[in-house]
Amino acid sequence: MSIKLVASDLDGTIISENNFINQSNFEAIDMMNSHNIDFAICTGKSYSVSKNVCDKCKATYGIFNNGSQIYNLKTGAPIYKNVLDFNSIKVAFDIAKKYNLHVHAYSDNLLVTEKLQYLDLRNFKLQELPGFEFIVVSNVLDYIQKNNLPIYQFVISSDSSLENVRTEILESNNVSVLKISKFGQYKDKILDKEYEYLSVVPFNTSKSNALDILGKHLSVNKDEIMAIGDNLNDLDMVKNSGIGVAVANAYSDLKDVAKYTTQNNVAEGGFAEAVYKFIKLD
């Protein structure tokens, strides 16, 4: 069966360090668009942070905040939104503060933090959207409550392992928690720093589940979807799609579940390699 929807992560899959995008990736996207194959960006970042690069990549749909937002990028209209309830945020916040951990949160047009330090600092260095704000406050939870902010993703970061914190949050809270480790070969080269972070999102939220929602919205079957990624938050969508692809620089766990691993890394156009390999035009 032919591919009708290509879903891809951004950072580390299409975009390499310093916001570089290989020209072959743009050409592959143009080819898809010219043959009416839908292209969806699937990222852990929020819609507002990612809008410019989605426009640059001519994406037709977008899955954001690891699955808690889905947008039609042609119209700017939301297809799906799922926010964390305040009690879930408070439980995660209180556990993080018990261990003196760094936190930040994503709302519609802003990121709230108590200090630009880990993933929030990375986003600050890379973001290009004038309409998006980075708000530094003394207490993230108080600011969220006072301003009644919808929160799509709450993030906890540390220089050391957060597995015990992840377990404690899951035991105390009805949410989904994804752990991303940026140690060793996966070190954050933008910040020149090693760290680990937890992405706390509404229960049963993931890129894979969001891709299922988008597929049903478009009347596209799973075996008609190709998913491409590099990181652990891409694992389920790569595993569960008709064709799952890991780029050459991907985490080894992702390569283990992928149908295909590209020869080229992100900077060399691994995304384009996958598109041309699996999309057969009549």
Side-chain angles (χ1 to χ4, degrees), residues 191-229:
L191 301 182
D192 190 28
K193 186 177 182 64
E194 293 184 322
Y195 57 93
E196 188 164 274
Y197 68 90
L198 303 178
S199 168
V200 182
V201 291
F203 180 70
N204 207 29
T205 295
S206 67
K207 290 185 180 183
S208 180
N209 289 345
L211 194 53
D212 286 345
I213 293 170
L214 179 60
K216 290 174 183 176
H217 177 77
L218 298 173
S219 298
V220 173
N221 299 322
K222 278 190 176 182
D223 57 359
E224 298 173 314
I225 299 174
M226 177 165 69
I228 310 171

Side-chain angles (χ1 to χ4, degrees), residues 146-281:
K146 180 180 179 181
N147 293 277
N148 194 27
L149 292 180
I151 299 299
Y152 300 97
Q153 181 181 186
F154 185 81
V155 180
I156 301 169
S157 306
S158 174
D159 294 328
S160 56
S161 174
L162 291 170
E163 183 56 36
N164 290 340
V165 178
R166 178 180 182 274
T167 299
E168 189 170 342
I169 291 173
L170 289 173
E171 288 175 348
S172 310
N173 216 345
N174 191 32
V175 293
S176 292
V177 184
L178 181 69
K179 183 181 71 172
I180 302 292
S181 298
K182 302 185 80 65
F183 296 119
Q185 64 176 313
Y186 306 116
K187 176 181 180 180
D188 188 329
K189 295 180 177 61
I190 300 296
L191 301 182
D192 190 28
K193 186 177 182 64
E194 293 184 322
Y195 57 93
E196 188 164 274
Y197 68 90
L198 303 178
S199 168
V200 182
V201 291
F203 180 70
N204 207 29
T205 295
S206 67
K207 290 185 180 183
S208 180
N209 289 345
L211 194 53
D212 286 345
I213 293 170
L214 179 60
K216 290 174 183 176
H217 177 77
L218 298 173
S219 298
V220 173
N221 299 322
K222 278 190 176 182
D223 57 359
E224 298 173 314
I225 299 174
M226 177 165 69
I228 310 171
D230 76 299
N231 213 322
L232 297 181
N233 59 342
D234 305 317
L235 195 148
D236 285 346
M237 76 168 186
V238 166
K239 180 180 178 180
N240 297 328
S241 296
I243 297 175
V245 177
V247 290
N249 52 281
Y251 280 63
S252 57
D253 287 352
L254 187 69
K255 293 178 180 179
D256 289 342
V257 303
K259 179 176 181 178
Y260 177 73
T261 298
T262 65
Q263 298 297 311
N264 293 310
N265 63 29
V266 55
E268 297 164 337
F271 168 85
E273 177 189 334
V275 169
Y276 289 122
K277 179 175 179 64
F278 290 104
I279 295 181
K280 307 301 182 184
L281 303 176

Side-chain angles (χ1 to χ4, degrees), residues 7-274:
S8 178
D9 175 54
L10 275 177
D11 291 345
T13 303
I14 292 178
I15 305 174
S16 62
E17 296 172 36
N18 300 318
N19 281 350
F20 173 74
I21 302 177
N22 191 291
Q23 180 60 33
S24 66
N25 291 342
F26 289 120
E27 293 168 358
I29 294 167
D30 286 340
M31 180 273 286
M32 290 190 294
N33 287 333
S34 68
H35 289 84
N36 297 314
I37 298 169
D38 285 320
F39 174 43
I41 293 292
C42 302
T43 177
K45 295 179 178 180
S46 69
Y47 170 58
S48 296
V49 167
S50 309
K51 186 178 183 301
N52 274 6
V53 71
C54 289
D55 291 344
K56 188 175 183 180
C57 290
K58 302 177 184 177
T60 44
Y61 297 94
I63 291 171
F64 305 101
N65 278 312
N66 286 322
S68 60
Q69 293 175 303
I70 307 174
Y71 274 81
N72 180 330
L73 298 176
K74 294 175 289 187
T75 64
I79 295 171
Y80 172 83
K81 285 187 176 185
N82 194 11
V83 300
L84 285 161
D85 65 79
F86 183 76
N87 184 65
S88 294
I89 299 168
K90 185 178 187 306
V91 170
F93 178 88
D94 289 344
I95 292 172
K97 288 303 177 181
K98 182 170 70 171
Y99 299 106
N100 297 313
L101 300 174
H102 178 76
V103 300
H104 71 272
Y106 295 90
S107 189
D108 282 308
N109 295 303
L110 55 85
L111 181 155
V112 186
T113 184
E114 292 167 4
K115 180 181 180 181
L116 291 169
Q117 190 172 0
Y118 293 99
L119 188 65
D120 47 345
L121 177 58
R122 175 190 175 91
N123 286 338
F124 180 77
K125 287 178 175 289
L126 293 177
Q127 73 96 21
E128 299 176 347
L129 192 65
F132 190 83
E133 293 185 78
F134 288 77
I135 307 294
V136 180
V137 299
S138 59
N139 185 292
V140 165
L141 188 69
D142 288 348
Y143 188 87
I144 290 170
Q145 184 175 33
K146 180 180 179 181
N147 293 277
N148 194 27
L149 292 180
I151 299 299
Y152 300 97
Q153 181 181 186
F154 185 81
V155 180
I156 301 169
S157 306
S158 174
D159 294 328
S160 56
S161 174
L162 291 170
E163 183 56 36
N164 290 340
V165 178
R166 178 180 182 274
T167 299
E168 189 170 342
I169 291 173
L170 289 173
E171 288 175 348
S172 310
N173 216 345
N174 191 32
V175 293
S176 292
V177 184
L178 181 69
K179 183 181 71 172
I180 302 292
S181 298
K182 302 185 80 65
F183 296 119
Q185 64 176 313
Y186 306 116
K187 176 181 180 180
D188 188 329
K189 295 180 177 61
I190 300 296
L191 301 182
D192 190 28
K193 186 177 182 64
E194 293 184 322
Y195 57 93
E196 188 164 274
Y197 68 90
L198 303 178
S199 168
V200 182
V201 291
F203 180 70
N204 207 29
T205 295
S206 67
K207 290 185 180 183
S208 180
N209 289 345
L211 194 53
D212 286 345
I213 293 170
L214 179 60
K216 290 174 183 176
H217 177 77
L218 298 173
S219 298
V220 173
N221 299 322
K222 278 190 176 182
D223 57 359
E224 298 173 314
I225 299 174
M226 177 165 69
I228 310 171
D230 76 299
N231 213 322
L232 297 181
N233 59 342
D234 305 317
L235 195 148
D236 285 346
M237 76 168 186
V238 166
K239 180 180 178 180
N240 297 328
S241 296
I243 297 175
V245 177
V247 290
N249 52 281
Y251 280 63
S252 57
D253 287 352
L254 187 69
K255 293 178 180 179
D256 289 342
V257 303
K259 179 176 181 178
Y260 177 73
T261 298
T262 65
Q263 298 297 311
N264 293 310
N265 63 29
V266 55
E268 297 164 337
F271 168 85
E273 177 189 334

